[in-house]
Amino acid sequence: MRRYIGIMVGNGVFKGIPAGRTSFENLSFYDEAGEKYEVTPCYFRFEDINPGEEMVEAYVKRGGAYLLQSVPKPVVIHNRIFTGKRSERRKIRKLKEEGIVFFNENNRYKKFRINDILAKEHKLRPHLPQTMMASEDNVKMMMEMHRELILKPNNGSLGSGIVKLTRDDEKQWEITYRDKKTLIKERFSSGWPPLLKQLSSRNLVIIQEMIPLARSKGRVFDLRVSVQKNEKGEWQVSGIVGKVAKKDWFLTNAARGGRCHTLTELLKELPHLQEKKVTAEIEMLSLSAARQLEKSLPHLADLGFDIGITNEGFPMIIECNCRELRYSFRNAGLDEEWKQTHFTPIGYARFLLDSGR
Ligand SMILES: Nc1ncnc2c1ncn2[C@@H]1O[C@H](COP(=O)(O)OP(=O)(O)OP(=O)(O)O)[C@@H](O)[C@H]1O
Ligand SMILES: [Mg+2]
């Protein structure tokens, strides 16, 4: 009998399993990976697994269809949901006391915290845009030091609530943001616009120096880099994909109209750069960053870095997501990489099973 690997999914994904509508999750890749690593993935929600109970009601693929079955509680679980609430933490703690291993157990970290952990490693510092909490004093200080700044919610936002500040040659500032569908640009010099006052009044926003991102057909782009633990228990880069912003916009998020392209395609427009060298540097940086984060954050195994490159090909870390949705790879037509991002965690789960941890 093959051993079970748990994939903990959200309600929406769970409900869609019988009809094969599982949003950003591609279960067939996990099942294929199960064949390769000789384990059986089973899919359940957080509420389906309980301390003290031996079995879990989970979907398992049997002869081409997903059947809801009672299966022995898996010892290794790949977490694909956000579990932040205190009651959820408590339950996870109890499950861990029973010997269950979760990877990506916590996957929601504040941007400032991630940046702070990364900045502790000297060799990463040149690759980090200067970042501060956006208090009024810090915003003033950053405005002294940089011409272009970005303010972002410290908690994830899929690109929403982000504001850009730009200084022109006459020391006039301009604030740019979107209010629903409307693009707003406001010029100011001494008196701050109400939005800027508001953003710097509560401790919820970070301010970061704007990285001069490389462009494709005049549009800025950055990269999503999937960094995962593999079947040897080691970090690997499972894929790199480019995200190009809409024309005249500064956010590359798919939710803000960004489009996904392969790095190869994007680098064709930057012929002074060598793809091999750029890719190797991005990979090296992402792996070092993953190793650094792992020193401070418990059981990371599946990360999605946003990495920008300058026109000279120098890689800069924009942020790190601890739950990668992986759909950028599909959107760019990188099917092999998309599949790889599902295979690697199953390989890692097998590694954990074998190492008896
Ligand atoms: N310092 C920066 N310099 C240049 N562009 C930036 C910078 N910070 C953010 N951006 C642009 O804004 C986008 C969104 O920013 P970021 O990835 O930090 O937050 P987010 O995606 O909204 O957060 P989350 O993924 O947690 O929801 C980036 O993909 C990039 O296009
Ligand atoms: Mg992002």
Side-chain angles (χ1 to χ4, degrees):
M1 242 294 270
R2 282 184 177 176
R3 291 168 290 179
Y4 286 101
I5 295 292
I7 314 275
M8 196 154 81
V9 297
N11 249 320
V13 170
F14 188 81
K15 275 196 205 124
I17 291 178
R21 278 196 294 272
T22 51
S23 167
F24 56 86
E25 295 287 4
N26 188 320
L27 304 199
S28 64
F29 287 159
Y30 290 127
D31 290 308
E32 248 184 82
E35 290 298 318
K36 176 172 174 186
Y37 293 107
E38 299 180 320
V39 291
T40 304
C42 66
Y43 308 89
F44 55 85
R45 296 162 298 185
F46 188 52
E47 64 208 68
D48 299 319
I49 185 164
N50 290 302
E53 290 174 12
E54 272 174 31
M55 308 297 274
V56 181
E57 286 283 303
Y59 279 108
V60 180
K61 195 170 195 178
R62 299 276 183 225
Y66 286 97
L67 304 178
L68 199 54
Q69 295 190 327
S70 196
V71 305
K73 200 192 250 170
V75 185
V76 172
I77 297 174
H78 181 24
N79 181 24
R80 293 292 286 157
I81 61 170
F82 286 135
T83 47
K85 292 196 195 113
R86 192 167 290 174
S87 59
E88 294 170 342
R89 291 266 167 88
R90 202 176 311 128
K91 181 165 151 183
I92 289 188
R93 189 170 351 106
K94 284 202 187 129
L95 289 165
K96 281 164 70 180
E97 282 162 11
E98 293 179 350
I100 291 177
V101 177
F102 287 88
F103 59 97
N104 285 355
E105 171 194 333
N106 299 336
N107 43 28
R108 216 171 211 171
Y109 294 104
K110 296 202 161 74
K111 287 186 168 41
F112 191 77
R113 170 128 190 252
I114 296 280
N115 193 91
D116 205 41
I117 296 170
L118 293 175
K120 289 201 171 80
E121 171 57 57
H122 276 271
K123 66 173 194 243
L124 292 176
R125 278 195 204 157
H127 301 277
L128 293 169
Q130 193 182 3
T131 305
M132 290 182 162
M133 287 307 297
S135 68
E136 215 171 288
D137 285 347
N138 287 347
V139 172
K140 274 185 198 148
M141 202 192 305
M142 290 290 269
M143 286 168 85
E144 294 287 322
M145 286 187 283
H146 304 281
R147 278 179 73 109
E148 272 205 302
L149 293 161
I150 185 162
L151 287 104
K152 315 188 263 194
N154 198 13
N155 268 327
S157 61
L158 298 173
S160 82
I162 301 187
V163 162
K164 183 168 87 158
L165 291 177
T166 328
R167 187 181 68 203
D168 65 18
D169 294 333
E170 284 97 59
K171 296 232 161 135
Q172 278 264 321
W173 282 92
E174 186 170 65
I175 183 167
T176 309
Y177 58 98
R178 214 168 263 274
D179 187 8
K180 298 196 184 87
K181 290 250 146 136
T182 326
L183 173 70
I184 299 181
K185 280 177 183 266
E186 236 177 288
R187 281 167 75 83
F188 66 97
S189 44
S190 50
W192 284 7
L195 177 64
L196 188 55
K197 277 197 191 139
Q198 187 201 321
L199 291 177
S200 54
S201 69
R202 290 175 301 162
N203 215 24
L204 300 173
V205 176
I206 62 164
I207 183 162
Q208 198 166 67
E209 111 187 62
M210 199 82 173
I211 302 157
L213 295 177
R215 288 169 185 266
S216 153
K217 302 191 176 67
R219 298 153 206 233
V220 292
F221 71 83
D222 62 9
L223 309 159
R224 172 54 54 88
V225 184
S226 163
V227 185
Q228 302 179 309
K229 284 264 175 95
N230 62 19
E231 78 273 6
K232 294 185 205 134
E234 291 163 2
W235 288 108
Q236 74 168 45
V237 174
S238 297
I240 303 178
V241 58
K243 303 176 285 156
V244 185
K246 276 205 297 207
K247 198 165 176 291
D248 300 324
W249 198 231
F250 61 96
L251 304 174
T252 63
N253 305 65
R256 307 294 138 203
R259 288 283 170 83
C260 298
H261 293 273
T262 65
L263 182 59
T264 310
E265 256 175 277
L266 297 172
L267 290 182
K268 279 202 184 112
E269 300 179 54
L270 302 166
H272 57 288
L273 299 180
Q274 282 174 285
E275 182 174 349
K276 256 202 177 140
K277 182 161 175 271
V278 173
T279 307
E281 282 176 9
I282 293 167
E283 290 188 350
M284 244 171 27
L285 176 60
S286 314
L287 291 169
S288 311
R291 292 191 188 109
Q292 175 62 14
L293 289 175
E294 154 177 76
K295 289 182 194 163
S296 301
L297 305 174
H299 214 154
L300 297 178
D302 190 346
L303 302 173
F305 287 93
D306 281 339
I307 295 208
I309 58 167
T310 64
N311 192 48
E312 292 72 45
F314 189 77
M316 297 284 291
I317 299 175
I318 295 176
E319 69 152 345
C320 176
N321 296 287
C322 296
R323 183 183 70 156
E324 224 295 73
L325 296 184
R326 306 166 183 158
Y327 54 63
S328 311
F329 296 100
R330 178 197 61 199
N331 293 355
L334 289 170
D335 290 346
E336 260 321 299
E337 282 81 351
W338 186 34
K339 192 165 155 178
Q340 191 60 51
T341 58
H342 292 71
F343 264 62
T344 313
I346 300 296
Y348 181 57
R350 171 68 200 260
F351 165 83
L352 290 174
L353 272 183
D354 290 348
S355 60
R357 288 203 286 176

